[in-house]
Amino acid sequence: MFAGIGRSSVRHPWLTILGWLVAAVALTVFAPQFKSSADQADFLPGHYESLQVADVQERSFPQQERPAATAVFRREDGGVLTAGDKADVVRVTDGLDRAGVELVESVKTGPQAVSPNGKIALASIVSTVDDHQDPELLDAVKELRERVGPLVAGTDLHVGLTGAAASALDTRESSGDTDAMITMATLALIVILLLVIFRSPLIALLPVLIISVVFVVASGLIATAAELVGLTADSSVSSILIVVLFGVGTDYILFLVFRWREQLRAGQEPKAAMEEAVARVGETVASAAGAVIVAFLALLLSSLGMLRAMGPALAISVAVTLVAALTLVPAVFSLLGTRAFWPSKAWRTAPRNELADRTGAVIARRPGTVAAASGAVLAALALGVLSFNPVFDSGSSLPDDLESVRASKEMQRGFAAGQTDPVWVLVEEEDGGTLSTGALTAYAEELRGVEGVGQVAPAVTNASGDVAQIAVVLTHPPTSERAIELVGGQLRDTAHEAAPEGTRALVGGPTGVLADIQAAVNRDYSLVFPAAGLAIMVILGLLLRSAVAPWFLMLAVALGFGATLGSTVWLFQDLKGESGLLFTLPVIVYLFVVAIGTDYNILMVARLREETRSGVDPREAVHRAVARSAPTIGAAAIILAGTFGVLLLAESTMLQQMGFAVAFGILLTAFVMALLLVPAVTSLLGDRVWWPGERRRRAAATVPPPAPDEQSAVGASTDR
């Protein structure tokens, strides 16, 4: 099959290239706009309690005003607001209210909006739309920020806008800058590393151009798929998509170009060499891509919409990259021929890889020592997992210098931490009667007695009197770990148990959403991880024709996952002093490290099997396999880790954590696991690794000498 694909692409290169360009243009013109959201409530199933609260509120209190944003006023010197300052607050608020900003229904303040210590005043910005992520509403908030400057000029006041819409605006603008920065840094890194490896400007630039076309096609397909099935992606998916496409895409292109160069060195003509390269590399690349795809598709089992949307999006991107690697790449390079390597002539002769050869020799002589040492390093790093603390609010990863973040902190100097995002407790009659005022008053007193509750507002009933809502303000920040634990635990327990007879109580609001997300994530950990691991094991078993190898390979990758997450905990929680890591990080690290780690293990174990079948001693097979595979794995891992590592340049803590974790995990996977642990354990197990498939052939005389490694490439450090 792969030989046929290679022949078709090489013999009809212009038709292949034209097909890709037409697809890119068509999807750019006709594909719907890619939609994303930063609202965590968008990603929960409807059966969770916080979403039931939202449904009851919308049905029973349709006219209730829920501020889209809040203006926070303070004196420049941080002192108590004077009578003149309060008059200026009213004047500025009236000016914003009369500005006629589209989608802004009202901007209101009042005496009750001044904090008890007199240092902070608030104004509520109410929108005509309920969706606080609406792009037009975010533009309206941006306009309000521009208009408030002239209104406070000449006063002693400082004003900042915070709240849901303001935070969403800052997230959007920060993400836009981040995407551009990540794209430029990724492109520059790939070009520089390819120049170092091949010393050819064409080979350095061509992968970037090819993957740019792939990016357009994949983005259009993802947006179309999301439109058809109604999925909304998390706002961070665009940044992840960039590094996945350019990182994984460059790896697959390297596998093919390395093999093509090897065939050229054997004396084949460029077109014939490319056909042979696709025929030999195709199965390996397809297996590697298949492992990544099934790992991403395992996210469809998640109960969180953000992960269910991310999984197919990344799976589509890898699938498109695989097709491009087997069709577009051969077409382009077959047209160029050996001119692709200009001006370097190093492609004509194979260099000596002394470091790789010495490493293979050490593993062959002392497999037990190498296995114990590499396993001990991974196990020691994995101990950091014991201190892992999940953070369930993606907004907490925003940079501190953003206006919404600063204004939120300023507001907490005068009000309870949960003032702008109260917990909503709803009480609903189950038999159709009306609620008792006395019972609601007593119920509110029960809620007030819960430790961590700051204020409890009087109950407000709807027009029919069968539903009441109570605003509960916590003493903890609404997105903090303590607030989430309180709402998901004692507050909900008390609200349910103390509900008046014949009623049901529901607890929601932003903190309730985060508490439900925590419960959903705990459920997902126990389902997504095993499903992804099982699917990858099946792929490994089919590829290697072995029932033993997949088990120890997955155990090794699981150890690498623990080491990766533990190292990230030590860096960000212990060294940088952050409160925790984003709650989705273990899922992302698991999928990337397991899937990509399996790629490198596939390369190594396939080579080990080939050498073993040649009839040589198992330890000599390990020596040869490591010596011939190490340069390829090392070069591919450095480029892939580098592309994820550029996320460390982002201002978002979430992207920094993801960038470090995945990049470091890839390096651990390549240099500790694939090049040390796996071959050492394979050597110790001997022929048992391949059971029940074909056993090692001992009669070397009856078997042709092993062909060069299908992915064995000249190392970047020695290709001179």
PDB file of all heavy atoms in Angstrom, residues 586-609:
ATOM      1  N   PRO A 586      -2.419  16.982  33.610  1.00  0.00           N
ATOM      2  CA  PRO A 586      -2.122  15.544  33.594  1.00  0.00           C
ATOM      3  C   PRO A 586      -2.678  14.835  32.360  1.00  0.00           C
ATOM      4  O   PRO A 586      -2.026  13.950  31.809  1.00  0.00           O
ATOM      5  CB  PRO A 586      -2.784  15.037  34.877  1.00  0.00           C
ATOM      6  CG  PRO A 586      -2.791  16.220  35.779  1.00  0.00           C
ATOM      7  CD  PRO A 586      -3.049  17.390  34.886  1.00  0.00           C
ATOM      8  N   VAL A 587      -3.885  15.223  31.927  1.00  0.00           N
ATOM      9  CA  VAL A 587      -4.456  14.602  30.736  1.00  0.00           C
ATOM     10  C   VAL A 587      -3.606  14.919  29.514  1.00  0.00           C
ATOM     11  O   VAL A 587      -3.277  14.039  28.707  1.00  0.00           O
ATOM     12  CB  VAL A 587      -5.906  15.082  30.514  1.00  0.00           C
ATOM     13  CG1 VAL A 587      -6.467  14.486  29.225  1.00  0.00           C
ATOM     14  CG2 VAL A 587      -6.782  14.699  31.692  1.00  0.00           C
ATOM     15  N   ILE A 588      -3.231  16.185  29.357  1.00  0.00           N
ATOM     16  CA  ILE A 588      -2.440  16.594  28.193  1.00  0.00           C
ATOM     17  C   ILE A 588      -1.071  15.936  28.209  1.00  0.00           C
ATOM     18  O   ILE A 588      -0.597  15.413  27.193  1.00  0.00           O
ATOM     19  CB  ILE A 588      -2.317  18.132  28.163  1.00  0.00           C
ATOM     20  CG1 ILE A 588      -3.687  18.754  27.893  1.00  0.00           C
ATOM     21  CG2 ILE A 588      -1.321  18.581  27.104  1.00  0.00           C
ATOM     22  CD1 ILE A 588      -3.721  20.255  28.057  1.00  0.00           C
ATOM     23  N   VAL A 589      -0.419  15.932  29.376  1.00  0.00           N
ATOM     24  CA  VAL A 589       0.900  15.298  29.475  1.00  0.00           C
ATOM     25  C   VAL A 589       0.794  13.802  29.194  1.00  0.00           C
ATOM     26  O   VAL A 589       1.608  13.235  28.458  1.00  0.00           O
ATOM     27  CB  VAL A 589       1.502  15.536  30.873  1.00  0.00           C
ATOM     28  CG1 VAL A 589       2.739  14.663  31.079  1.00  0.00           C
ATOM     29  CG2 VAL A 589       1.869  17.003  31.035  1.00  0.00           C
ATOM     30  N   TYR A 590      -0.209  13.179  29.752  1.00  0.00           N
ATOM     31  CA  TYR A 590      -0.374  11.737  29.548  1.00  0.00           C
ATOM     32  C   TYR A 590      -0.517  11.421  28.062  1.00  0.00           C
ATOM     33  O   TYR A 590       0.167  10.539  27.532  1.00  0.00           O
ATOM     34  CB  TYR A 590      -1.607  11.251  30.306  1.00  0.00           C
ATOM     35  CG  TYR A 590      -1.868   9.764  30.167  1.00  0.00           C
ATOM     36  CD1 TYR A 590      -1.209   8.848  30.970  1.00  0.00           C
ATOM     37  CD2 TYR A 590      -2.771   9.292  29.236  1.00  0.00           C
ATOM     38  CE1 TYR A 590      -1.444   7.492  30.850  1.00  0.00           C
ATOM     39  CE2 TYR A 590      -3.020   7.938  29.099  1.00  0.00           C
ATOM     40  CZ  TYR A 590      -2.357   7.041  29.913  1.00  0.00           C
ATOM     41  OH  TYR A 590      -2.588   5.703  29.783  1.00  0.00           O
ATOM     42  N   LEU A 591      -1.400  12.155  27.391  1.00  0.00           N
ATOM     43  CA  LEU A 591      -1.648  11.866  25.984  1.00  0.00           C
ATOM     44  C   LEU A 591      -0.428  12.159  25.124  1.00  0.00           C
ATOM     45  O   LEU A 591      -0.065  11.372  24.247  1.00  0.00           O
ATOM     46  CB  LEU A 591      -2.865  12.653  25.498  1.00  0.00           C
ATOM     47  CG  LEU A 591      -4.181  12.237  26.149  1.00  0.00           C
ATOM     48  CD1 LEU A 591      -5.301  13.167  25.716  1.00  0.00           C
ATOM     49  CD2 LEU A 591      -4.532  10.808  25.791  1.00  0.00           C
ATOM     50  N   PHE A 592       0.209  13.304  25.353  1.00  0.00           N
ATOM     51  CA  PHE A 592       1.364  13.650  24.530  1.00  0.00           C
ATOM     52  C   PHE A 592       2.550  12.736  24.819  1.00  0.00           C
ATOM     53  O   PHE A 592       3.220  12.254  23.897  1.00  0.00           O
ATOM     54  CB  PHE A 592       1.769  15.114  24.757  1.00  0.00           C
ATOM     55  CG  PHE A 592       0.977  16.085  23.936  1.00  0.00           C
ATOM     56  CD1 PHE A 592      -0.032  16.830  24.505  1.00  0.00           C
ATOM     57  CD2 PHE A 592       1.236  16.248  22.586  1.00  0.00           C
ATOM     58  CE1 PHE A 592      -0.780  17.721  23.758  1.00  0.00           C
ATOM     59  CE2 PHE A 592       0.502  17.140  21.822  1.00  0.00           C
ATOM     60  CZ  PHE A 592      -0.508  17.876  22.409  1.00  0.00           C
ATOM     61  N   VAL A 593       2.823  12.504  26.089  1.00  0.00           N
ATOM     62  CA  VAL A 593       3.989  11.691  26.430  1.00  0.00           C
ATOM     63  C   VAL A 593       3.771  10.237  26.028  1.00  0.00           C
ATOM     64  O   VAL A 593       4.660   9.589  25.473  1.00  0.00           O
ATOM     65  CB  VAL A 593       4.308  11.806  27.935  1.00  0.00           C
ATOM     66  CG1 VAL A 593       5.383  10.805  28.327  1.00  0.00           C
ATOM     67  CG2 VAL A 593       4.761  13.211  28.269  1.00  0.00           C
ATOM     68  N   VAL A 594       2.564   9.721  26.287  1.00  0.00           N
ATOM     69  CA  VAL A 594       2.283   8.334  25.912  1.00  0.00           C
ATOM     70  C   VAL A 594       2.333   8.171  24.399  1.00  0.00           C
ATOM     71  O   VAL A 594       2.994   7.282  23.868  1.00  0.00           O
ATOM     72  CB  VAL A 594       0.909   7.893  26.460  1.00  0.00           C
ATOM     73  CG1 VAL A 594       0.478   6.584  25.819  1.00  0.00           C
ATOM     74  CG2 VAL A 594       0.981   7.734  27.965  1.00  0.00           C
ATOM     75  N   ALA A 595       1.631   9.060  23.676  1.00  0.00           N
ATOM     76  CA  ALA A 595       1.541   8.920  22.224  1.00  0.00           C
ATOM     77  C   ALA A 595       2.889   9.171  21.553  1.00  0.00           C
ATOM     78  O   ALA A 595       3.371   8.358  20.761  1.00  0.00           O
ATOM     79  CB  ALA A 595       0.485   9.882  21.679  1.00  0.00           C
ATOM     80  N   ILE A 596       3.515  10.308  21.869  1.00  0.00           N
ATOM     81  CA  ILE A 596       4.773  10.653  21.219  1.00  0.00           C
ATOM     82  C   ILE A 596       5.896   9.760  21.731  1.00  0.00           C
ATOM     83  O   ILE A 596       6.787   9.364  20.976  1.00  0.00           O
ATOM     84  CB  ILE A 596       5.087  12.141  21.431  1.00  0.00           C
ATOM     85  CG1 ILE A 596       3.998  12.982  20.755  1.00  0.00           C
ATOM     86  CG2 ILE A 596       6.447  12.489  20.851  1.00  0.00           C
ATOM     87  CD1 ILE A 596       4.107  14.461  21.014  1.00  0.00           C
ATOM     88  N   GLY A 597       5.844   9.426  23.004  1.00  0.00           N
ATOM     89  CA  GLY A 597       6.839   8.501  23.529  1.00  0.00           C
ATOM     90  C   GLY A 597       6.763   7.154  22.840  1.00  0.00           C
ATOM     91  O   GLY A 597       7.783   6.509  22.577  1.00  0.00           O
ATOM     92  N   THR A 598       5.538   6.739  22.515  1.00  0.00           N
ATOM     93  CA  THR A 598       5.371   5.492  21.796  1.00  0.00           C
ATOM     94  C   THR A 598       5.980   5.578  20.399  1.00  0.00           C
ATOM     95  O   THR A 598       6.519   4.596  19.878  1.00  0.00           O
ATOM     96  CB  THR A 598       3.880   5.133  21.703  1.00  0.00           C
ATOM     97  OG1 THR A 598       3.357   5.023  23.023  1.00  0.00           O
ATOM     98  CG2 THR A 598       3.686   3.813  20.984  1.00  0.00           C
ATOM     99  N   ASP A 599       5.920   6.756  19.767  1.00  0.00           N
ATOM    100  CA  ASP A 599       6.559   6.938  18.459  1.00  0.00           C
ATOM    101  C   ASP A 599       8.033   6.553  18.515  1.00  0.00           C
ATOM    102  O   ASP A 599       8.527   5.778  17.681  1.00  0.00           O
ATOM    103  CB  ASP A 599       6.452   8.399  18.003  1.00  0.00           C
ATOM    104  CG  ASP A 599       5.052   8.757  17.565  1.00  0.00           C
ATOM    105  OD1 ASP A 599       4.188   7.872  17.574  1.00  0.00           O
ATOM    106  OD2 ASP A 599       4.825   9.927  17.221  1.00  0.00           O
ATOM    107  N   TYR A 600       8.750   7.108  19.480  1.00  0.00           N
ATOM    108  CA  TYR A 600      10.178   6.825  19.574  1.00  0.00           C
ATOM    109  C   TYR A 600      10.435   5.383  19.985  1.00  0.00           C
ATOM    110  O   TYR A 600      11.406   4.759  19.539  1.00  0.00           O
ATOM    111  CB  TYR A 600      10.836   7.792  20.566  1.00  0.00           C
ATOM    112  CG  TYR A 600      10.728   9.234  20.127  1.00  0.00           C
ATOM    113  CD1 TYR A 600      10.374  10.229  21.018  1.00  0.00           C
ATOM    114  CD2 TYR A 600      10.976   9.598  18.809  1.00  0.00           C
ATOM    115  CE1 TYR A 600      10.275  11.556  20.621  1.00  0.00           C
ATOM    116  CE2 TYR A 600      10.878  10.910  18.393  1.00  0.00           C
ATOM    117  CZ  TYR A 600      10.521  11.886  19.296  1.00  0.00           C
ATOM    118  OH  TYR A 600      10.411  13.188  18.891  1.00  0.00           O
ATOM    119  N   ASN A 601       9.558   4.849  20.820  1.00  0.00           N
ATOM    120  CA  ASN A 601       9.704   3.442  21.180  1.00  0.00           C
ATOM    121  C   ASN A 601       9.463   2.528  19.981  1.00  0.00           C
ATOM    122  O   ASN A 601      10.100   1.483  19.837  1.00  0.00           O
ATOM    123  CB  ASN A 601       8.738   3.085  22.313  1.00  0.00           C
ATOM    124  CG  ASN A 601       9.186   3.649  23.643  1.00  0.00           C
ATOM    125  OD1 ASN A 601      10.359   3.944  23.834  1.00  0.00           O
ATOM    126  ND2 ASN A 601       8.247   3.820  24.559  1.00  0.00           N
ATOM    127  N   ILE A 602       8.517   2.925  19.117  1.00  0.00           N
ATOM    128  CA  ILE A 602       8.272   2.147  17.901  1.00  0.00           C
ATOM    129  C   ILE A 602       9.530   2.095  17.048  1.00  0.00           C
ATOM    130  O   ILE A 602       9.929   1.039  16.538  1.00  0.00           O
ATOM    131  CB  ILE A 602       7.098   2.752  17.109  1.00  0.00           C
ATOM    132  CG1 ILE A 602       5.775   2.430  17.808  1.00  0.00           C
ATOM    133  CG2 ILE A 602       7.073   2.230  15.675  1.00  0.00           C
ATOM    134  CD1 ILE A 602       4.579   3.109  17.187  1.00  0.00           C
ATOM    135  N   LEU A 603      10.183   3.245  16.882  1.00  0.00           N
ATOM    136  CA  LEU A 603      11.414   3.282  16.089  1.00  0.00           C
ATOM    137  C   LEU A 603      12.476   2.363  16.679  1.00  0.00           C
ATOM    138  O   LEU A 603      13.144   1.610  15.964  1.00  0.00           O
ATOM    139  CB  LEU A 603      11.943   4.716  16.027  1.00  0.00           C
ATOM    140  CG  LEU A 603      11.065   5.751  15.333  1.00  0.00           C
ATOM    141  CD1 LEU A 603      11.703   7.127  15.417  1.00  0.00           C
ATOM    142  CD2 LEU A 603      10.822   5.383  13.885  1.00  0.00           C
ATOM    143  N   MET A 604      12.627   2.428  17.985  1.00  0.00           N
ATOM    144  CA  MET A 604      13.679   1.645  18.625  1.00  0.00           C
ATOM    145  C   MET A 604      13.363   0.151  18.620  1.00  0.00           C
ATOM    146  O   MET A 604      14.203  -0.686  18.254  1.00  0.00           O
ATOM    147  CB  MET A 604      13.889   2.139  20.059  1.00  0.00           C
ATOM    148  CG  MET A 604      14.918   1.334  20.852  1.00  0.00           C
ATOM    149  SD  MET A 604      16.540   1.250  20.027  1.00  0.00           S
ATOM    150  CE  MET A 604      17.065   2.948  20.211  1.00  0.00           C
ATOM    151  N   VAL A 605      12.145  -0.217  19.004  1.00  0.00           N
ATOM    152  CA  VAL A 605      11.820  -1.633  19.113  1.00  0.00           C
ATOM    153  C   VAL A 605      11.765  -2.290  17.738  1.00  0.00           C
ATOM    154  O   VAL A 605      12.170  -3.451  17.571  1.00  0.00           O
ATOM    155  CB  VAL A 605      10.485  -1.813  19.866  1.00  0.00           C
ATOM    156  CG1 VAL A 605      10.082  -3.280  19.892  1.00  0.00           C
ATOM    157  CG2 VAL A 605      10.621  -1.298  21.286  1.00  0.00           C
ATOM    158  N   ALA A 606      11.276  -1.550  16.729  1.00  0.00           N
ATOM    159  CA  ALA A 606      11.266  -2.113  15.378  1.00  0.00           C
ATOM    160  C   ALA A 606      12.690  -2.431  14.916  1.00  0.00           C
ATOM    161  O   ALA A 606      12.954  -3.458  14.284  1.00  0.00           O
ATOM    162  CB  ALA A 606      10.588  -1.146  14.412  1.00  0.00           C
ATOM    163  N   ARG A 607      13.610  -1.536  15.249  1.00  0.00           N
ATOM    164  CA  ARG A 607      14.999  -1.772  14.880  1.00  0.00           C
ATOM    165  C   ARG A 607      15.588  -2.937  15.677  1.00  0.00           C
ATOM    166  O   ARG A 607      16.342  -3.771  15.151  1.00  0.00           O
ATOM    167  CB  ARG A 607      15.820  -0.515  15.123  1.00  0.00           C
ATOM    168  CG  ARG A 607      17.270  -0.645  14.692  1.00  0.00           C
ATOM    169  CD  ARG A 607      17.364  -0.870  13.200  1.00  0.00           C
ATOM    170  NE  ARG A 607      18.714  -1.194  12.782  1.00  0.00           N
ATOM    171  CZ  ARG A 607      19.080  -1.332  11.517  1.00  0.00           C
ATOM    172  NH1 ARG A 607      18.190  -1.171  10.564  1.00  0.00           N
ATOM    173  NH2 ARG A 607      20.319  -1.637  11.209  1.00  0.00           N
ATOM    174  N   LEU A 608      15.234  -3.011  16.957  1.00  0.00           N
ATOM    175  CA  LEU A 608      15.700  -4.124  17.783  1.00  0.00           C
ATOM    176  C   LEU A 608      15.208  -5.455  17.217  1.00  0.00           C
ATOM    177  O   LEU A 608      15.959  -6.439  17.157  1.00  0.00           O
ATOM    178  CB  LEU A 608      15.199  -3.943  19.221  1.00  0.00           C
ATOM    179  CG  LEU A 608      15.901  -2.881  20.069  1.00  0.00           C
ATOM    180  CD1 LEU A 608      15.090  -2.579  21.314  1.00  0.00           C
ATOM    181  CD2 LEU A 608      17.306  -3.343  20.438  1.00  0.00           C
ATOM    182  N   ARG A 609      13.964  -5.494  16.795  1.00  0.00           N
ATOM    183  CA  ARG A 609      13.423  -6.734  16.229  1.00  0.00           C
ATOM    184  C   ARG A 609      14.146  -7.105  14.935  1.00  0.00           C
ATOM    185  O   ARG A 609      14.464  -8.278  14.687  1.00  0.00           O
ATOM    186  CB  ARG A 609      11.926  -6.576  15.971  1.00  0.00           C
ATOM    187  CG  ARG A 609      11.266  -7.860  15.472  1.00  0.00           C
ATOM    188  CD  ARG A 609       9.806  -7.654  15.181  1.00  0.00           C
ATOM    189  NE  ARG A 609       9.609  -6.652  14.141  1.00  0.00           N
ATOM    190  CZ  ARG A 609       8.410  -6.294  13.667  1.00  0.00           C
ATOM    191  NH1 ARG A 609       7.328  -6.846  14.170  1.00  0.00           N
ATOM    192  NH2 ARG A 609       8.312  -5.379  12.726  1.00  0.00           N
TER     193      ARG A 609
END
